[in-house]
Amino acid sequence: MILKKYKNRYSFNFLAICGWIILALFAKYFFPYIWSPGLGFPLFVIFVIISAVDVIFYFLVFIIYVLEIMFDKRITNRKFLQSRKIYILQLLGVIFSLLPVWLIITIFILDIVTELRLFGMG
């Protein structure tokens, strides 16, 4: 796959771990309350906080990536690199790290398609 060449990078693995943390935050604080009436603004604040944490994670991943390149560090453990389970967990973690971005895009697309005008535009 496309991401196989990044398996041996610490930054990629940190991004995967961050994705699992983001999923846990969404599962604990966002998804249980998404259909609760009257929680519009508090739910928005929770979403913004989780998204801010995700942006901080992206910044840390970038710093780790730069340090990896500077010091030429990579994961060399063959058992870790050849494990299919680890690779699946990494891919899921990267996908979960994109969850806030995906939700924002979905909300805007639904707003345009259904003409709900959620954000008072138009």
Side-chain angles (χ1 to χ4, degrees), residues 6 9-12 14 58-74:
Y6 298 111
R9 296 200 175 266
Y10 290 101
S11 57
F12 180 74
F14 182 72
Y58 289 145
F59 182 70
L60 290 173
V61 165
F62 177 73
I63 290 173
I64 292 170
Y65 180 74
V66 169
L67 291 174
E68 263 181 335
I69 291 173
M70 285 175 47
F71 296 113
D72 196 29
K73 291 286 183 184
R74 297 210 177 163

Side-chain angles (χ1 to χ4, degrees), residues 45-58:
V45 170
I46 291 170
F47 179 77
V48 167
I49 290 171
I50 293 173
S51 297
V53 169
D54 198 36
V55 169
I56 291 169
F57 283 156
Y58 289 145

Side-chain angles (χ1 to χ4, degrees), residues 77-110:
N77 185 343
R78 291 288 165 213
K79 187 175 181 181
F80 177 81
L81 294 175
Q82 294 174 349
S83 173
R84 183 133 176 96
K85 291 177 186 175
I86 296 292
Y87 183 61
I88 291 170
L89 290 173
Q90 288 172 336
L91 287 178
L92 288 173
V94 170
I95 290 168
F96 294 149
S97 72
L98 298 172
L99 189 61
V101 175
W102 176 76
L103 284 174
I104 290 172
I105 291 171
T106 303
I107 288 171
F108 279 117
I109 289 174
L110 284 175

